[in-house]
């Protein structure tokens, strides 16, 4: 609890003890009124002041005004205990609500802990702590074990293990070494690192994430906007209704029926009506539900830019995936080596050495598969033939590595291969040695993610890709997506998403999931854009509505489930609060409900709704 909450708790305890003591003391008349005014003012003076300020500023109709009128009215009718109790329990509810909001804010504040306080810059042989804003691009900073990485950059010296849980929600550490890119917000766990900065602090990953989370509350959902408008008209209506309840029935009894008007009884009913009608449960719990949902999602590595996107995500029934970098790793890997006589590792060795001077992704995949340091002294006479491949001499032996056109050009007889992927043929000393199969590999969780999405209520999954149809169809079959569109240019993907948007029911939403690098147009066009693995990607953070902080496809499932849970809680609170209030208002109007039932209808309902809203903070692991 903070200082303000502790002060309120003290006031509540003092007032509660005094009310309990007065209930046991047989005091009547003016002395009773004076004694009950002490706990009433202890617990309610601030509410009375706020109500008076609202009247002076011509902003009369709020919960402070309702509580002030109801409690002062009850005291004027001689119901001292009820009037004080209403104010006491209202303040208990306010304390509870304050604590709940504070807990939700602390949950988001844990994410804010990624903000670095300083950066270490080496000057004159010693480390100097400076404000991260003062570090220019290209500067060398030093990050010691236990410190946060303050600015995005590239490791120039050292190796370490990084804790990225504050960014991704995953506790598994990641290894980093010289030459690797590193993003701000990670915690250096082991070695000393020297990093050459590639961005200014204001443009770094941590700054963009914090800005995104801090501004998420500015984008309101339809449910929040409805509650705001509802409260604006609802409170004056119930005030005038209570006034009518206090005046009209007695007048009818007196003037038309000639009966005792029973003014005190009807005024008491009107005051009970006012307490019941206080809209605290709705006004507090609905924004709190969204706030807690966004906070819980952020701690799980899912950044939602606003409650409106949370609402849209919950209505998603169609999910469209980009293939490369989203369902697949986006990097070529050797999937198989097929040879005539020579051993697998020998073919890989000759192919990797022949390709050692090329920066092509296929060349890099061959070198990674070889797994050893390339000895360039063994290679000579390298010639790269555009669109065909590479020829070279390795250990004095002629080697050719490339596609079928290269084999035909060199007059080497080769075997046709019908496997899906990129086929790299290898000829050694003029004879065909075999071929190497290279493909973009599916992410380990891609198939599970598609299956879990269908369990979560997604009606159809679609895959868009620029790959040839044969490769696309195999990827679709392995992942289990329902439809696939292949050989698409970036502009074609936008067109295809627009076609899908036109065909679906307008009330059902379509989400597009991309890797955030070249998918910005499609992310913007879909009902909701989800950028996956978007650490450090400006395009993703700007264009997407939801940003997943790592490249695990299961995070898409988590995002959908968090949104659905959040919206279930919102609707539960709306139906529960309105239903109980309508029931109690009817009971109050006919004289069945008293002040104690009114206290439950106001404070009790608010406490239950807030407790329910807090559930949105907790995210289950898949």
């Amino acid at each position: 609890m903070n200082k303000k909450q502790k002060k309120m708790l003290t006031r509540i305890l003092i007032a509660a003890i005094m009310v309990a003591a007065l209930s046991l003391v047989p005091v009547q008349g003016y002395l009773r009124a004076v004694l009950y005014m002490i706990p009433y003012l202890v617990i309610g003076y601030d509410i009375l002041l706020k109500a008076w300020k609202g009247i002076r500023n011509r902003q009369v109709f709020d919960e402070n005004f309702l509580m002030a009128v109801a409690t002062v009215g009850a005291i004027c009718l001689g119901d001292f205990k009820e009037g004080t109790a209403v104010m006491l329990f209202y303040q208990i509810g306010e304390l509870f609500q304050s604590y709940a909001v504070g807990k939700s804010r602390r949950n988001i504040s844990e994410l804010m802990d990624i903000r670095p306080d300083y950066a270490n810059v080496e000057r004159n042989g010693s480390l100097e702590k400076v404000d991260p804003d003062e570090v220019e691009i290209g500067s060398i900073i030093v990050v010691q074990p236990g410190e946060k990485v303050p600015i995005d950059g590239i490791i120039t010296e050292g190796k370490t293990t990084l804790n990225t849980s504050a960014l991704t929600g995953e506790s598994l550490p990641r290894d980093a070494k010289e030459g690797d890119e590193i993003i701000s917000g990670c915690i250096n766990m082991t070695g000393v690192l020297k990093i050459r900065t590639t961005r200014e602090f204001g443009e770094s990953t941590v700054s963009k994430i914090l800005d995104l989370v801090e501004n998420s509350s500015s984008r309101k959902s339809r449910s929040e906007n409805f509650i705001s408008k509802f409260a604006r008209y609802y409170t004056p209506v119930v005030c005038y209704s209570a006034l009518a309840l206090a005046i009209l029935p007695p007048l009818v009894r007196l003037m038309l029926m000639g009966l005792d008007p029973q003014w005190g009884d009807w005024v008491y009913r009107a005051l009970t009506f006012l307490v019941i009608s206080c809209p605290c449960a709705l006004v507090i719990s609905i924004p709190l539900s969204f706030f807690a949902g966004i906070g819980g999602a952020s701690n799980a590595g899912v950044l939602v830019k606003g409650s409106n996107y949370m609402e849209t995500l919950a209505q998603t029934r169609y999910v469209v995936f980009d293939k490369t970098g989203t369902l697949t790793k986006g990097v070529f890997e050797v999937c198989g080596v097929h040879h005539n006589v020579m051993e697998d590792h020998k073919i890989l060795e000759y192919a990797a050495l022949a390709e050692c001077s090329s920066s092509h992704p296929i060349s890099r995949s061959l070198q990674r598969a070889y797994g050893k340091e390339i000895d360039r002294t063994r290679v000579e006479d390298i010639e790269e033939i555009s669109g065909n491949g590479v020829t070279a001499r390795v250990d004095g032996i002629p080697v050719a590595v490339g596609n079928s056109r290269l084999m035909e050009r060199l007059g080497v007889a080769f075997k046709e291969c019908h496997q899906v992927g990129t086929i790299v043929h290898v000829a050694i000393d003029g004879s065909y040695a075999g071929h190497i199969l290279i493909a973009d590999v599916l992410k380990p969780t891609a198939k599970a993610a598609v299956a879990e999405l269908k369990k979560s209520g997604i009606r159809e999954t679609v895959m868009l890709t620029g790959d040839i149809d044969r490769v696309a169809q195999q990827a679709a079959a392995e992942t289990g997506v329902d439809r696939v569109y292949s050989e698409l240019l970036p502009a074609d993907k936008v067109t295809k998403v627009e076609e899908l948007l036109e065909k679906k029911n307008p009330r059902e939403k379509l989400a597009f999931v991309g890797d955030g690098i070249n998918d910005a147009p499609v992310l913007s066009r879909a009902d909701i854009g989800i950028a996956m693995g978007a650490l450090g990607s400006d395009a993703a953070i700007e264009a997407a509505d939801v940003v997943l902080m790592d490249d695990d496809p299961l995070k898409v499932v988590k995002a959908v489930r968090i949104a659905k849970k959040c919206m279930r809680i919102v609707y539960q609170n709306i139906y529960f609060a309105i239903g109980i209030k309508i029931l109690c208002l009817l009971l109050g109007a006919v004289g069945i409900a008293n002040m104690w039932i009114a206290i439950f209808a106001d404070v009790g309902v608010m406490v239950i709704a807030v407790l329910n809203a807090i559930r949105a903070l907790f995210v289950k692991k898949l």
Side-chain angles (χ1 to χ4, degrees):
M1 282 190 174
N2 58 34
K3 190 174 181 180
K4 186 177 179 182
Q5 290 168 342
K6 289 178 180 177
K7 183 179 178 182
M8 176 55 71
L9 180 60
T10 302
R11 288 170 56 196
I12 288 171
L13 291 174
I14 291 172
I17 292 169
M18 292 183 73
V19 169
L22 288 172
S23 300
L24 301 174
V25 178
V27 180
Q28 299 299 326
Y30 290 111
L31 181 59
R32 176 180 171 84
V34 171
L35 290 176
Y36 264 104
M37 285 304 295
I38 297 172
Y40 176 78
L41 292 174
V42 167
I43 196 63
Y45 72 88
D46 53 336
I47 300 298
L48 298 175
L49 285 174
K50 289 176 184 176
W52 174 244
K53 287 179 182 178
I55 294 170
R56 288 181 60 188
N57 296 328
R58 298 181 181 179
Q59 295 176 344
V60 178
F61 299 111
D62 62 9
E63 63 270 21
N64 297 306
F65 177 77
L66 294 181
M67 284 298 111
V69 171
T71 54
V72 170
I75 288 171
C76 290
L77 291 175
D79 296 315
F80 307 114
K81 185 176 180 180
E82 286 88 343
T84 306
V86 167
M87 189 65 80
L88 175 63
F89 282 104
Y90 175 75
Q91 291 286 40
I92 291 172
E94 287 290 293
L95 175 63
F96 189 86
Q97 171 258 325
S98 173
Y99 181 77
V101 170
K103 181 174 175 59
S104 184
R105 288 190 182 277
R106 284 195 301 275
N107 194 269
I108 286 187
S109 294
E110 290 176 8
L111 180 72
M112 300 308 171
D113 283 343
I114 64 177
R115 187 191 298 276
D117 301 315
Y118 60 87
N120 294 318
V121 177
E122 195 168 357
R123 291 176 181 168
N124 302 321
S126 61
L127 292 182
E128 183 179 333
K129 292 183 179 181
V130 301
D131 191 312
D133 281 317
E134 298 175 6
V135 179
E136 297 179 352
I137 296 174
S139 301
I140 300 296
I141 60 174
V142 178
V143 182
Q144 300 181 89
E147 292 184 333
K148 301 179 187 114
V149 177
I151 306 170
D152 297 1
I154 296 173
I155 299 174
T156 59
E157 186 180 317
K159 61 180 180 178
T160 188
T161 302
L162 298 172
N163 180 348
T164 62
S165 59
L167 298 174
T168 65
E170 301 297 334
S171 57
L172 190 66
R174 297 184 181 183
D175 293 329
K177 61 183 184 304
E178 185 177 327
D180 290 348
E181 289 188 12
I182 189 168
I183 58 170
S184 51
C186 300
I187 297 175
N188 179 21
M189 296 175 66
T190 52
V192 177
L193 298 178
K194 287 190 176 182
I195 299 170
R196 186 179 72 254
T197 60
T198 54
R199 297 171 186 243
E200 293 180 347
F201 176 70
E203 295 297 317
S204 64
T205 301
V206 67
S207 293
K208 289 183 179 294
I209 292 170
L210 294 173
D211 183 63
L212 187 155
V213 176
E214 287 165 352
N215 292 325
S216 63
S217 60
S218 65
R219 298 179 175 92
K220 304 291 185 183
S221 67
R222 286 182 301 170
S223 301
E224 280 186 282
N225 287 327
F226 164 75
I227 294 301
S228 298
K229 292 177 182 177
F230 175 80
R232 194 180 308 152
Y233 297 106
Y234 168 82
T235 307
V237 166
V238 296
C239 286
Y240 292 127
S241 299
L243 185 62
L245 185 63
I247 296 174
L248 295 181
L251 288 178
V252 170
R253 288 175 61 85
L254 177 65
M255 300 177 69
L256 298 181
M257 302 173 65
L259 300 173
D260 180 6
Q262 298 178 344
W263 290 102
D265 182 42
W266 286 101
V267 169
Y268 183 83
R269 291 189 192 188
L271 296 175
T272 303
F273 188 92
L274 281 179
V275 175
I276 294 170
S277 65
C278 188
C280 297
L282 288 173
V283 173
I284 292 168
S285 69
I286 304 309
L288 180 60
S289 299
F290 283 111
F291 191 72
I294 291 172
S298 67
N299 273 4
V302 178
L303 302 184
V304 184
K305 288 189 176 181
S307 54
N308 55 333
Y309 302 122
M310 185 76 81
E311 194 168 42
T312 303
L313 188 58
Q315 297 168 350
T316 297
R317 296 294 178 271
Y318 301 88
V319 177
V320 180
F321 289 96
D322 177 52
K323 182 179 83 72
T324 306
T326 304
L327 291 175
T328 66
K329 293 182 178 179
V331 292
F332 288 102
E333 290 189 6
V334 172
C335 298
V337 180
H338 305 270
H339 56 85
N340 289 341
V341 178
M342 191 173 291
E343 295 179 355
D344 291 0
H345 71 275
K346 274 293 180 186
I347 292 181
L348 268 176
E349 181 179 2
Y350 278 108
L353 287 166
E355 294 273 7
C356 68
S357 293
S358 174
S359 60
H360 193 280
I362 289 177
S363 304
R364 291 179 178 175
S365 67
L366 290 170
Q367 292 169 40
R368 281 198 304 271
Y370 174 49
K372 298 178 183 177
E373 189 173 345
I374 300 293
D375 184 359
R376 292 174 179 263
T377 61
R378 296 172 59 189
V379 189
E380 56 187 1
D381 299 337
I382 298 173
E383 181 183 0
E384 188 164 349
I385 303 170
S386 180
N388 288 255
V390 172
T391 62
R393 296 180 73 84
V394 178
D395 297 333
I397 302 171
V399 177
V401 182
N403 55 27
S404 57
R405 289 193 295 272
L406 179 63
M407 298 296 108
E408 291 170 355
R409 179 172 181 156
L410 298 175
V412 175
F414 64 96
K415 294 179 181 179
E416 289 286 349
C417 179
H418 300 289
Q419 292 174 293
V420 175
T422 300
I423 307 300
V424 178
H425 296 285
V426 182
I428 299 175
D429 202 12
S431 300
Y432 187 67
H435 66 267
I436 300 169
L437 178 64
I438 297 175
D440 188 4
V441 181
L442 285 176
K443 291 179 180 176
T445 56
K447 184 176 181 179
V450 173
E452 290 297 323
L453 280 172
K454 292 178 180 177
K455 290 180 185 177
S456 300
I458 299 302
R459 185 166 297 169
E460 186 176 35
T461 52
V462 181
M463 186 173 75
L464 307 182
T465 179
D467 278 348
I468 60 173
D469 189 60
R470 188 175 61 173
V471 173
Q473 292 295 343
Q474 181 177 9
E478 290 179 6
T479 55
V481 296
D482 300 308
R483 273 195 284 171
V484 59
Y485 298 95
S486 57
E487 301 179 30
L488 299 175
L489 297 172
D492 297 331
K493 292 181 182 180
V494 177
T495 304
K496 189 58 65 179
V497 165
E498 287 177 341
E499 289 176 7
L500 294 170
L501 287 168
E502 289 175 5
K503 292 177 183 177
K504 70 175 181 64
N505 186 323
R507 287 177 296 181
E508 297 178 332
K509 303 302 180 182
L510 180 145
F512 178 81
V513 186
D515 60 9
I517 297 170
N518 56 1
D519 295 319
V522 205
L523 288 167
S524 300
R525 183 63 190 90
D527 289 323
I528 188 159
I530 303 175
M532 178 189 292
L535 287 176
S537 171
D538 293 342
I541 292 178
E542 292 299 325
D545 307 312
V546 178
V547 180
L548 310 181
M549 298 312 294
D550 63 22
D551 60 0
D552 184 357
L554 280 172
K555 273 288 200 302
V556 181
V557 184
K558 182 169 284 188
V560 171
R561 289 183 179 173
I562 289 170
K564 285 179 178 289
K565 178 182 177 180
C566 182
M567 291 310 302
R568 279 198 305 271
I569 290 171
V570 166
Y571 289 126
Q572 286 166 5
N573 283 344
I574 290 174
Y575 297 144
F576 173 71
I578 292 179
I580 293 294
K581 283 192 179 293
I582 289 174
L583 176 62
C584 291
L585 283 172
L586 292 174
L587 294 175
V590 298
I592 297 175
N594 58 20
M595 276 289 181
W596 297 104
I597 292 177
I599 290 169
F600 169 75
D602 177 31
V603 179
V605 169
M606 180 178 72
V607 168
I608 293 170
V610 167
L611 275 173
N612 195 38
I614 288 297
R615 290 196 302 117
L617 274 174
F618 306 105
V619 178
K620 290 182 180 179
K621 290 189 176 182
L622 293 177

